[in-house]
């Protein structure tokens, strides 16, 4: 596809360069101010960076979420297509997040009958007990990677228990979200990613098929049983759709929530006054979580593809072109948030976009909020004097998510 001719072609942006990875907020500030709609010639994508543009695009049906069906058609329809790779993308085709209306609405309506607020609230005690179990394995006075020991396992264990995955399978289950990640995320450092993850995904599909058939015969109080039972008029999820939804919930809720916990702890370590306020209980945790989401949330951007030509911010965008809606930049737009680069746990964050917006607004927002609101105070309480262990902070070299590879910390030990 040829790049459109615009004045902004002359601007050399590198959204995966070291500066943008380290501090996307500082990086995007001048871009947002000068060119809130910018063609990135390097990665052949539009970048929408202002709060106003991102809000509008999230609600504009011309911005399609379906990039899987076109990909399958273009790249996986030939006779020499690896059947495992085909199967993996066929799974993604059934993810609601990659669907447009009316198919998206149909699936979401069915899934929310299972993934209810009640089902989420039921998890509160589980989140608390898993958090304490994980902390018991940590010696606070040693140097430890908070991501490996706590932030990463917690959400996987929570969603596994919510779905009804048996304890003995939870390690495998956790590893699968990395395999899906390799398929979905555009990583720079991982060109052979499809081949490596397709075999693991085939195994995961089999695993969920068996589990689904088990719960179809023996329903229990869990999400898989509720997904099987979900009905809207005469409609229900097919087995393939229910399996796909389980994998979406695992993937959608794992790394994102892990990064929320880790990024929040990093934010607190870097802002001792805010850490002290949270520890003293002078700021409500619910509001604090919203500020963590705004300040350094786990998703830098969501992707759309133009289903029709559109004009935004005076720029003509063409059908078929890719668009990144840069949530991270919208969340630091000074026209909406006063002094956006300051972490202020008591600020008004109502307009933040960390969970996206419009029809695809994060289905798991309540669960992510619950996990963070339970886990962060437990961590803050158990790790007095928490500080960085002096190792370099390395951000994952991907554009869509904002997460550290590791977060090495140490603390003073139990009080
Ligand atoms: C802090 C953690 C999380 C963040 C920042 C986050 C962010 C997002 C965002 C930005 C979207 C919109 C994607 C788009 O418009 O293309 C989304 C959608 C979604 N998220 Fe989350 N998410 C988080 C946690 C979770 C959890 C815990 C779950 C479930 C276990 C989950 C499940 C989903 C699902 C199913 C969708 C698709 C909704 C749809 O297409 O209608 N997310 N999430």
């Amino acid at each position: 596809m040829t790049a459109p001719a615009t004045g902004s072609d002359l601007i050399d942006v590198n959204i995966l360069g070291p500066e943008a990875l380290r501090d996307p907020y500082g990086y995007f500030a001048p871009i947002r101010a000068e060119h809130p709609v910018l063609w990135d010639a390097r990665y052949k994508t539009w970048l929408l960076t202002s709060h106003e543009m991102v809000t509008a695009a999230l609600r504009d049906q011309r911005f399609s979420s379906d990039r899987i069906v076109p990909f399958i058609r273009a790249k996986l329809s030939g006779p020499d297509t690896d059947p495992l790779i085909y199967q993996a993308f066929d799974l993604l085709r059934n993810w609601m997040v990659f669907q447009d209306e009316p198919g998206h609405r149909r699936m979401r309506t069915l899934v929310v009958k299972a993934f209810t607020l009640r089902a989420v609230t039921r998890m509160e005690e589980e989140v608390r007990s898993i958090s304490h179990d994980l902390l018991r394995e940590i010696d606070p006075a040693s140097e430890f990677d908070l991501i490996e020991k706590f932030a990463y396992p917690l959400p996987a264990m929570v969603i596994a228990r919510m779905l009804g995955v048996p304890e003995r399978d939870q390690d495998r289950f956790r590893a699968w979200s990395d395999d899906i990640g390799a398929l979905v995320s555009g990583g720079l450092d991982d060109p052979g990613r499809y081949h490596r993850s397709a075999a693991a995904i085939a195994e995961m599909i089999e695993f969920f098929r068996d589990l689904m058939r088990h719960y179809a015969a023996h329903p229990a109080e869990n999400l898989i049983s509720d997904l099987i039972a979900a009905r809207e008029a005469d409609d229900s999820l097919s087995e393939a759709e229910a399996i796909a939804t389980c994998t979406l919930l695992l993937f959608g809720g794992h790394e994102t929530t892990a990064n929320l916990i880790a990024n929040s702890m990093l934010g607190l370590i870097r802002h001792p006054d805010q850490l002290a306020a949270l520890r003293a209980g002078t700021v409500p945790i619910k509001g604090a979580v919203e500020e963590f989401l705004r300040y350094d949330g786990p998703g830098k951007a969501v992707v759309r593809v133009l289903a029709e030509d559109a004009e935004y911010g005076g720029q003509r965008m063409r059908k078929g072109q890719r668009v990144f809606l840069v949530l991270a930049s919208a969340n630091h737009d000074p026209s909406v948030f006063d002094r956006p680069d300051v972490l202020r746990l008591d600020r008004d964050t109502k307009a933040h976009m960390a969970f996206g917006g419009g029809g695809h607004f994060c289905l798991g927002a309540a669960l992510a909020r619950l996990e963070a609101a339970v886990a962060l105070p437990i961590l803050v309480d158990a790790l007095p004097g928490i500080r960085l262990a002096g190792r370099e902070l390395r951000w994952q070299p991907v554009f869509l998510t904002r997460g550290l590879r590791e977060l090495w910390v140490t603390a003073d030990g139990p009080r």
Side-chain angles (χ1 to χ4, degrees):
M1 180 160 316
T2 50
T6 74
S8 59
D9 276 346
L10 303 173
I11 297 162
D12 181 30
V13 283
N14 185 2
I15 58 173
L16 283 169
E19 235 183 295
L21 289 179
R22 189 179 49 78
D23 175 17
Y25 311 104
Y27 188 79
F28 279 107
I31 294 173
R32 182 182 54 234
E34 296 290 323
H35 305 280
V37 180
L38 178 68
W39 176 253
D40 173 354
R42 186 186 303 255
Y43 292 111
K44 302 203 171 18
T45 189
W46 287 100
L47 300 170
L48 267 52
T49 47
S50 71
H51 194 276
E52 185 192 350
M53 294 297 156
V54 174
T55 306
L58 281 169
R59 285 157 185 80
D60 185 336
Q61 297 295 321
R62 291 175 296 178
F63 289 74
S64 165
S65 290
D66 181 7
R67 46 199 192 280
I68 302 298
V69 172
F71 180 82
I72 292 177
R73 244 183 242 139
K75 308 268 180 190
L76 302 179
S77 299
D80 50 354
T81 299
D82 178 338
L84 285 184
I85 294 186
Y86 185 88
Q87 187 188 22
F89 279 91
D90 198 44
L91 176 90
L92 299 187
R93 192 174 57 81
N94 276 320
W95 280 17
M96 72 175 86
V97 72
F98 293 136
Q99 293 181 7
D100 293 330
E101 305 312 344
H104 164 261
R105 175 62 41 201
R106 173 194 158 255
M107 256 192 114
R108 186 159 169 138
T109 304
L110 285 163
V111 174
V112 293
K113 291 192 184 288
F115 199 93
T116 58
L117 195 56
R118 206 177 127 257
V120 169
T121 318
R122 232 171 23 212
M123 295 308 293
E124 180 163 349
E125 265 321 298
E126 294 269 2
V127 177
R128 201 178 309 283
S129 89
I130 297 170
S131 299
H132 285 298
D133 289 349
L134 290 169
L135 268 169
R136 261 192 291 281
E137 301 295 312
I138 296 174
D139 169 9
S142 69
E143 290 187 0
F144 61 94
D145 175 6
L146 189 73
I147 294 180
E148 188 205 335
K149 298 285 183 202
F150 189 94
Y152 201 67
L154 173 77
M157 290 165 84
V158 171
I159 191 70
R161 288 193 195 177
M162 211 174 161
L163 283 166
V165 174
E167 198 89 30
R168 63 174 182 278
D169 294 316
Q170 289 184 10
D171 281 349
R172 274 205 296 165
F173 177 85
R174 205 201 297 179
W176 283 328
S177 79
D178 294 344
D179 295 311
I180 310 173
L183 199 70
V184 178
S185 317
L188 268 187
D189 58 349
D190 200 3
R193 60 188 193 267
Y194 296 158
H195 290 277
R196 275 199 301 281
S197 50
I201 286 174
E203 198 186 299
M204 178 179 65
I205 292 172
E206 269 320 297
F207 171 83
F208 275 116
R209 186 169 292 130
D210 289 349
L211 206 55
M212 211 142 264
R213 290 182 181 170
H214 169 79
Y215 286 127
H218 310 282
E221 192 178 84
N222 60 44
L223 212 52
I224 291 187
S225 302
D226 293 345
L227 284 171
I228 296 168
R231 294 279 177 284
E232 171 69 19
D234 290 341
D235 196 12
S236 60
L237 295 173
S238 68
E239 187 177 76
E241 287 170 339
I243 292 173
T245 299
C246 291
T247 63
L248 170 60
L249 293 174
L250 165 63
F251 178 72
H254 185 195
E255 206 188 329
T256 46
T257 312
N259 288 337
L260 174 61
I261 293 171
N263 295 0
S264 305
M265 289 306 291
L266 177 64
L268 286 171
I269 292 169
R270 286 173 161 173
H271 296 81
D273 58 327
Q274 301 297 297
L275 176 59
L278 195 63
R279 187 169 278 138
T282 53
V283 284
I285 183 63
K286 282 191 177 166
V289 168
E290 298 309 306
E291 171 66 349
F292 290 132
L293 283 158
R294 182 203 68 83
Y295 174 75
D296 199 9
K300 274 187 289 197
V302 295
V303 187
R304 297 292 186 263
V305 175
L306 281 157
E308 292 171 34
D309 291 358
E311 190 164 325
Y312 260 57
Q315 301 281 7
R316 281 171 54 211
M317 302 191 274
R318 302 273 184 222
K319 178 177 172 175
Q321 286 177 333
R322 185 170 60 166
V323 189
F324 286 164
L325 316 187
V326 188
L327 307 174
S329 174
N331 279 339
H332 283 242
D333 187 332
S335 70
V336 177
F337 301 104
D338 177 42
R339 298 177 64 218
D341 299 334
V342 177
L343 178 75
R344 241 181 44 213
L345 297 182
D346 62 353
R347 78 157 75 224
D348 177 357
T349 53
K350 271 199 279 302
H352 85 67
M353 317 194 78
F355 290 121
H360 288 278
F361 181 85
C362 177
L363 186 84
L367 180 61
R369 285 172 164 141
L370 173 79
E371 291 183 59
V374 170
L376 290 170
I378 292 177
L379 277 176
V380 161
D381 212 43
L383 303 172
I386 185 168
R387 55 199 176 272
L388 295 177
R391 304 199 193 187
E392 186 197 354
L393 292 175
R394 288 183 308 145
W395 294 94
Q396 290 175 31
V398 291
F399 186 61
L400 300 185
T401 54
R402 165 82 170 157
L404 287 162
R405 291 174 189 261
E406 296 155 349
L407 179 56
W408 284 89
V409 295
T410 185
D412 291 339
R415 282 188 288 192

